[in-house]
Amino acid sequence: VPVADAAGYQNELAWWWRHYGNEPGGLQRADYPRLVENYLQSMLARRLGMPLPRLPREQSWQAMIGQSLGLGTDNETLRLAMARDRFVAAEALHERADQPLPPPINPLPLEVPDVPENVAVEPIAVRVPAECFYVRFGSFSNFLWMQDLLDQWGGDFQNLVAERALDRGLRDRTERELVLKTNALARLVGDKIIADVAIIGTDFFEDGGAYGMLFQARSSTLLQADLLSQRVERLARKDGATEAKVNIAGRDVSFLSTPDGSVRSYYVVDGDYHFVTTSKTLARRFLETQGGQGALGAAKEFRHTRSVMPLQRKDTVFVYLSDPFFRNYTSPAYRIETIRRFQAMADMELVQLAQLSSATEGKAGHTIE
């Protein structure tokens, strides 16, 4: 005869919940996207009044690299924690941004040894704002090699570091956002048109990042014709994309965008340098480097690095993170902006998962409310 057994029910529920939260092959697998499990655990914990299982702590060297880079690498563990917070701490949605920013951390100036005057520095570095990360390829063929390598790992540097192969669609998203696509012709004649290539920016975010592609042209006319033709082709789709001329630092700059932000591309040309970026601020800073204002290649610390790692090494990929980059990276304004982006991404992912969940339960799920 069925009887009501509250204590027995709680014991069974606790046993099931403990095993559900530690299911092998679910949250424990390093090559498995944990977004869905995280959503289900958060949703069921709130419904059933159960404590949330702890997020797994990975101690591999790959995980430690991700933790060290922290917010800027779009760390997955941090995104999962943010999604959980949106379930259990909804009051954060109503906090007002009405407080002044705290003062930034002010580390001691970087001590750099004296640098010989004749240290060779690649010309493209002189057009990079000092506060940007700098990934230089040295040639277009080196850039293609790196692009092909990342394609094997889902188009994502995180996958390469963590030995995962999740397809986040990062390369497609980047090409779509900047309106830059590598076609078959570019693979054949790229080195004849382009002398050097660099990826620069102020963060590594896959959504909403401030970054861009900087080209040093051998034939500025041919490179500009190719980049402009891609923008004309994008406008021809007639899906809401528009182009405007924006005045930046006294120059007319092409700005191609869509209302949903999936396309956001500034294209500015200065001599043999062509810069395509998501950020109006970076476009302005690029133009300011023409007069030597805050250029990475002119910085003493960078010239010292080139004295230790000279151009004769012919590195396939050269990555440099400057002192101004880290000062901006650790500033209160940057940290607050980054957390807001995490919250926005978590909210959008939760809406998508909630729609799927409501469909499986036969409930209305056609609006965000």
Side-chain angles (χ1 to χ4, degrees):
V1 178
V3 295
D5 183 357
Y9 172 81
Q10 289 299 326
N11 287 337
E12 292 294 320
L13 180 62
W15 180 90
W16 173 80
W17 185 248
R18 185 169 60 253
H19 287 272
Y20 180 80
N22 296 308
E23 179 66 29
L27 287 173
Q28 305 304 317
R29 282 178 54 188
D31 62 345
Y32 191 83
R34 299 182 288 204
L35 182 66
V36 175
E37 277 80 359
N38 189 61
Y39 172 82
L40 291 173
Q41 286 187 350
S42 301
M43 179 186 70
L44 292 172
R46 187 173 65 177
R47 284 190 187 183
L48 302 174
M50 302 300 290
L52 273 170
R54 290 184 178 181
L55 287 170
R57 294 191 62 182
E58 301 167 344
Q59 293 302 323
S60 65
W61 66 268
Q62 296 98 329
M64 287 190 286
I65 288 178
Q67 291 167 8
S68 298
L69 293 176
L71 290 171
T73 58
D74 201 8
N75 185 287
E76 183 182 35
T77 302
L78 192 57
R79 291 184 72 168
L80 296 176
M82 184 68 72
R84 287 190 171 190
D85 284 346
R86 306 303 264 176
F87 262 95
V88 299
E91 63 273 8
L93 293 168
H94 307 294
E95 291 180 349
R96 298 179 61 85
D98 57 0
Q99 300 300 309
L101 286 173
I105 299 171
N106 192 22
L108 294 172
L110 190 67
E111 294 185 11
V112 182
D114 290 334
V115 183
E117 291 295 330
N118 61 349
V119 171
V121 172
E122 62 271 30
I124 197 171
V126 184
R127 299 311 310 268
V128 177
E131 67 274 17
C132 287
F133 68 79
Y134 175 54
V135 183
R136 185 236 180 180
F137 299 94
S139 69
F140 191 70
S141 56
N142 286 347
F143 170 70
L144 291 177
W145 170 84
M146 187 65 182
Q147 207 174 41
D148 293 340
L149 179 65
L150 289 179
D151 277 347
Q152 297 176 30
W153 295 93
D156 190 347
F157 177 74
Q158 276 186 283
N159 288 339
L160 186 63
V161 171
E163 295 183 343
R164 303 171 73 180
L166 304 178
D167 186 2
R168 304 169 190 265
L170 183 58
R171 176 177 169 179
D172 289 341
R173 187 184 305 123
T174 301
E175 290 180 345
R176 180 171 62 250
E177 191 170 36
L178 290 176
V179 193
L180 274 179
K181 197 169 184 66
T182 305
N183 53 34
L185 182 62
R187 288 182 174 272
L188 289 174
V189 301
D191 280 327
K192 297 179 181 178
I193 298 175
I194 298 169
D196 208 344
V197 188
I199 302 174
I200 67 173
T202 51
D203 62 51
F204 312 96
F205 249 83
E206 70 178 57
D207 286 294
Y211 67 96
M213 293 287 301
L214 178 60
F215 301 93
Q216 180 186 3
R218 298 187 194 277
S219 172
S220 193
T221 303
L222 291 176
L223 178 59
Q224 185 173 22
D226 178 59
L227 297 180
L228 289 177
S229 69
Q230 292 193 45
R231 299 171 84 81
V232 171
E233 182 181 337
R234 182 63 186 82
L235 286 170
R237 296 186 194 176
K238 299 187 181 303
D239 58 354
T242 58
E243 183 180 26
K245 295 296 181 184
V246 182
N247 187 277
I248 301 177
R251 297 277 296 276
D252 284 338
V253 174
S254 167
F255 176 48
L256 192 61
S257 64
T258 54
D260 64 358
S262 61
V263 175
R264 180 177 175 82
S265 174
Y266 293 89
Y267 174 37
V268 53
V269 183
D270 191 37
D272 288 334
Y273 294 96
H274 299 247
F275 187 38
V276 186
T277 176
T278 61
S279 167
K280 184 177 182 180
T281 298
L282 287 185
R284 173 179 56 80
R285 287 290 294 115
F286 161 72
L287 289 171
E288 288 173 350
T289 61
Q290 183 186 32
Q293 184 176 336
L296 179 67
K300 184 179 179 182
E301 60 167 291
F302 185 81
R303 295 176 62 247
H304 167 69
T305 300
R306 273 308 184 199
S307 71
V308 178
M309 303 180 71
L311 293 174
Q312 290 86 339
R313 290 162 46 104
K314 297 186 181 299
D315 295 304
T316 307
V317 182
F318 176 81
V319 181
Y320 188 80
L321 306 177
S322 66
D323 183 57
F325 168 81
F326 282 110
R327 288 176 184 268
N328 175 65
Y329 186 70
T330 57
S331 68
Y334 178 81
R335 183 174 180 83
I336 290 170
E337 175 192 341
T338 304
I339 291 174
R340 285 177 177 168
R341 281 193 282 183
F342 265 114
Q343 289 174 339
M345 286 188 291
D347 287 348
M348 289 187 287
E349 289 170 345
L350 289 175
V351 167
Q352 290 177 306
L353 291 167
Q355 287 178 324
L356 295 172
S357 179
S358 66
T360 65
E361 298 186 27
K363 299 181 182 296
H366 304 298
T367 68
I368 292 177
E369 289 75 15

